[in-house]
Amino acid sequence: MTRDDVRTVRVLIVGAGFAGLGMAAVLDRAGDRDFLVLEQGAGVGGTWRDNTYPGCACDIPSVQYSYSFAPGDGWTTARAAQPEILGYLRGVAAGFRDRISFGARVAEGHWDEAGACWRVTTDGGRRYTARYLVVATGALTVPRLPRIPGAETFAGSAFHTAAWDHAVTLDGKRVAVIGTGASAVQVVPEIAARAAELHLYQRTPAWILPARGARPPRLRRLARTAEYWRAEARVPAFAGPGPVASALHRRALRHLRRQVPDPALREMLTPQYRIGCKRILHSDSYFPALTGPGVEVVTAPIDRIVPDGVVTADGTRRAAEVLVYATGFRVAGALGRLPLVGRDGVTLQQRWQDRGVRAHLGIAVAGLPNLFLLSGPNTGLGHNSVLFMIESQIRYVQDAMVAVERAGAAALEVRDRVQEASHDDVQRRLSGAVWSTGGCASWYLDGRGVNHALWPGASWRYRWRTRRVSLADYHLTHLRPR
C-alpha cells in the first residue's frame, strides 16, 4: 500500500498487546477476518515486549494469565516470566499475523459523520478507513520519570525499567534504584546479586505477600477456577476495614518478620497505610535481597542527582555508576497521546479535560461513535487478573458490532446520560474504598485524587454488566440514502 492509497477494513485495532491481540483473536475465531491491527512497535506484546528488565515476570498466577479461548498450558512456573508471556502472545497472534501492521504509529484519527466511518492516518502517512475503531493501547505503556533536579547531569548510565539497557553491565557496579513498586520488587534481587553496592531509594514501602509456590499446578483448568475465586475472596479487603483486610495485614506482617530479622530495617519496610491502598505485591526474594551485604534502603527524600550519584535531603551523598528508575507508568498515558477527533470536531482529550475522564463501562465514550476502548478508565483490578476484565470488554465490543448491524444501523454512540450514570456509580463506590481512604498516594489516583484506574468491586460483577449490549443505552445512526 502506497501513501496515496486508503485501505478500508471493517475493524481497525490500535495496539498489539494483550488487549489488541485478544480482540483480533476473537474476531478471527468468529470468522470475521476483515480487520487490521496497527502496532507502533516492531513486534507484538506491548508492555511484555518492552519490559525486559532482569526478573521481569507476572505477579498474577500464570494459570490465570491467559484468555479462556486460548489457555496458556505451557507455563513452566507458578508466575510466568516475561519471555514465556511474550511467547504466549506470539502464539495468540500466529493465526492472523498477516493482518498486523508493524511500525504503524497512529498520528490522527477522526470520525467521518457523512461516511459513518473512522479515518486514521499513521506517522508514515498511510491512511485507513474503518467502520469500527478499537483502541487497545493499554494503561501501562508510558513510563513515568520523576522530575529530580540534576537528573540530566548524571554521568553514568540511567534508564527506566521499561527501557532496560542490556549493554550496561551491573557486575561490580554501584547501582541506585529509585522506586519500590512492582518492577523494583522484581529487579532488586537480580541487581543485588551482581552489584558491588545497591542503594534503594524508597519513598513508601509496599505490602508484600509470599509468592506461593514455584511450579504451576498439574490440573491447570481446575486451578484456574480455584485461583480466580481465591482472588475474588479478597474483594472485601478493598471495600474497607474488616476481617479479610485484617487477615491479609497479619499475613503480610508475618512474611516481613520471617524474612527481615533486623528490627530497624523491618520498621523501614513496614507500610503506614492500609493494605490494598497500593497494589499488593508477591515475592519471596525481595526482602532477603535487602538484608544482603552492600545493600542499603534509603528513606531520606532525594534532594538532587549529581554527576556521580544521588544527594538526599539530609545532605548525604551516595555514589552511583548506574541509575535505575523503577517508577512505574502514567496511567492512560497512551490514550492521552492519541489524537482522536469525534463528533463536532471535539477530541477525546478535550472531552476528558472539560468533564473529567469517563467512559461507559470503561469502553464507550459519548461523542465518539463506533469507538471502543479496551483497558479503558476504571477497568483495572487490584486483586485479580485484568485479563478477565479485558475478555469481558472484548466480548461486549463484539456483541455491540453484531447488535448495531442487526438493527440495520451504521453507527452507535453511548448516550451521555448513560455514560454519566455509569461514571457516577463507579466513583460513588470508589469513594469509600481503600484506594481513597487507606492513607496512601498511589498511581491509581490522578492529581485531583480521583481514581480512574480501578473497578470498584468483584470482577464477576463487571462480567455480568458487560454480558450483552443494551441498544437502549446508545444512539443509533442510520445513513441517509444518497
Side-chain angles (χ1 to χ4, degrees):
M1 185 175 74
T2 67
R3 291 188 178 185
D4 294 331
D5 294 332
V6 179
R7 181 170 176 178
T8 299
V9 293
R10 177 172 175 265
V11 184
L12 190 64
I13 303 167
V14 182
F18 252 111
L21 294 180
M23 184 78 248
V26 166
L27 292 173
D28 190 60
R29 288 168 60 88
D32 184 353
R33 300 180 60 83
D34 190 10
F35 67 84
L36 179 69
V37 182
L38 300 183
E39 168 53 47
Q40 65 181 9
V44 303
T47 190
W48 292 108
R49 176 199 62 221
D50 297 340
N51 284 264
T52 60
Y53 59 84
C56 181
C58 184
D59 60 359
I60 294 292
S62 53
V63 292
Q64 284 183 274
Y65 211 67
S66 61
Y67 287 121
S68 65
F69 52 81
D73 292 330
W75 306 125
T76 61
T77 58
R79 283 177 167 79
Q82 177 266 339
E84 279 195 315
I85 297 172
L86 184 57
Y88 168 79
L89 288 171
R90 287 170 175 165
V92 170
F96 51 84
R97 194 174 178 85
D98 59 322
R99 278 163 284 155
I100 304 176
S101 181
F102 296 106
R105 182 191 297 270
V106 172
E108 188 262 351
H110 71 270
W111 173 250
D112 181 340
E113 191 76 31
C117 65
W118 280 93
R119 299 192 181 276
V120 174
T121 305
T122 66
D123 277 352
R126 295 192 172 183
R127 296 181 295 159
Y128 304 86
T129 64
R131 184 170 186 181
Y132 305 103
L133 182 63
V134 179
V135 179
T137 50
L140 304 180
T141 57
V142 181
R144 178 188 295 275
L145 288 170
R147 296 178 180 177
I148 302 175
E152 72 285 353
T153 70
F154 186 67
S157 300
F159 44 84
H160 193 279
T161 52
W164 193 268
D165 189 343
H166 290 276
V168 176
T169 179
L170 302 177
D171 297 325
K173 295 288 183 66
R174 292 170 295 187
V175 182
V177 176
I178 298 175
T180 52
S183 60
V185 166
Q186 293 179 350
V187 78
V188 160
E190 303 288 332
I191 297 174
R194 298 168 58 185
E197 294 181 8
L198 169 60
H199 297 117
L200 175 64
Y201 292 86
Q202 171 185 280
R203 186 170 60 179
T204 52
W207 284 109
I208 299 177
L209 294 173
R212 284 186 51 238
R215 297 181 180 180
R218 293 181 179 179
L219 302 176
R220 298 188 183 183
R221 293 181 185 275
L222 180 62
R224 179 185 177 99
T225 301
E227 287 287 355
Y228 172 80
W229 288 110
R230 182 181 289 114
E232 287 297 289
R234 291 184 181 181
V235 168
F238 300 91
V244 177
S246 296
L248 285 177
H249 178 89
R250 291 192 300 270
R251 187 178 173 208
L253 286 179
R254 283 197 304 270
H255 185 54
L256 178 59
R257 283 195 298 268
R258 288 170 180 168
Q259 293 202 313
V260 182
D262 178 17
L265 178 58
R266 194 162 62 235
E267 183 178 358
M268 295 168 65
L269 297 173
T270 303
Q272 299 304 306
Y273 54 86
R274 280 174 27 215
I275 192 166
C277 187
K278 289 176 177 284
R279 185 173 180 87
I280 301 172
L281 306 178
H282 296 79
S283 176
D284 293 330
S285 58
Y286 178 67
F287 287 147
L290 300 183
T291 66
V295 179
E296 180 187 9
V297 177
V298 182
T299 58
I302 295 175
D303 179 70
R304 65 189 185 279
I305 293 175
V306 292
D308 62 348
V310 180
V311 179
T312 49
D314 59 6
T316 304
R317 186 186 190 114
R318 294 175 177 84
E321 298 165 277
V322 180
L323 178 58
V324 177
Y325 292 100
T327 47
F329 299 88
R330 298 188 182 279
V331 180
L335 273 178
R337 295 184 177 189
L338 195 60
L340 298 173
V341 183
R343 198 166 31 78
D344 302 324
V346 182
T347 67
L348 172 64
Q349 291 71 33
Q350 287 172 321
R351 294 179 189 278
W352 283 356
Q353 287 172 4
D354 293 344
R355 305 178 61 184
V357 176
R358 56 199 65 205
H360 176 49
L361 300 172
I363 301 172
V365 181
L368 288 94
N370 282 13
L371 179 134
F372 305 101
L373 307 179
L374 301 181
S375 295
N378 293 114
T379 61
L381 293 176
H383 70 284
N384 213 330
S385 173
V386 74
L387 295 190
F388 184 87
M389 301 290 281
I390 294 174
E391 187 167 337
S392 301
Q393 295 155 32
I394 288 170
R395 297 190 183 282
Y396 182 91
V397 171
Q398 184 185 35
D399 187 48
M401 294 175 184
V402 171
V404 71
E405 289 166 14
R406 282 179 177 169
L412 80 169
E413 175 192 339
V414 67
R415 297 179 185 274
D416 191 72
R417 60 172 176 78
V418 171
Q419 175 181 275
E420 293 306 297
S422 175
H423 171 79
D424 291 345
D425 175 61
V426 167
Q427 292 304 319
R428 177 185 56 79
R429 290 190 287 149
L430 282 169
S431 63
V434 67
W435 309 294
S436 301
T437 64
C440 76
S442 74
W443 61 267
Y444 296 143
L445 309 181
D446 67 10
R448 293 174 292 181
V450 180
N451 190 335
H452 297 305
L454 298 178
W455 172 255
S459 62
W460 64 264
R461 291 186 182 277
Y462 184 82
R463 175 65 62 89
W464 177 257
R465 290 190 63 180
T466 56
R467 68 194 185 281
R468 65 175 61 92
V469 172
S470 170
L471 289 183
D473 293 340
Y474 290 84
H475 294 289
L476 296 182
T477 300
H478 298 264
L479 285 181
R480 296 177 180 177
R482 296 182 179 179

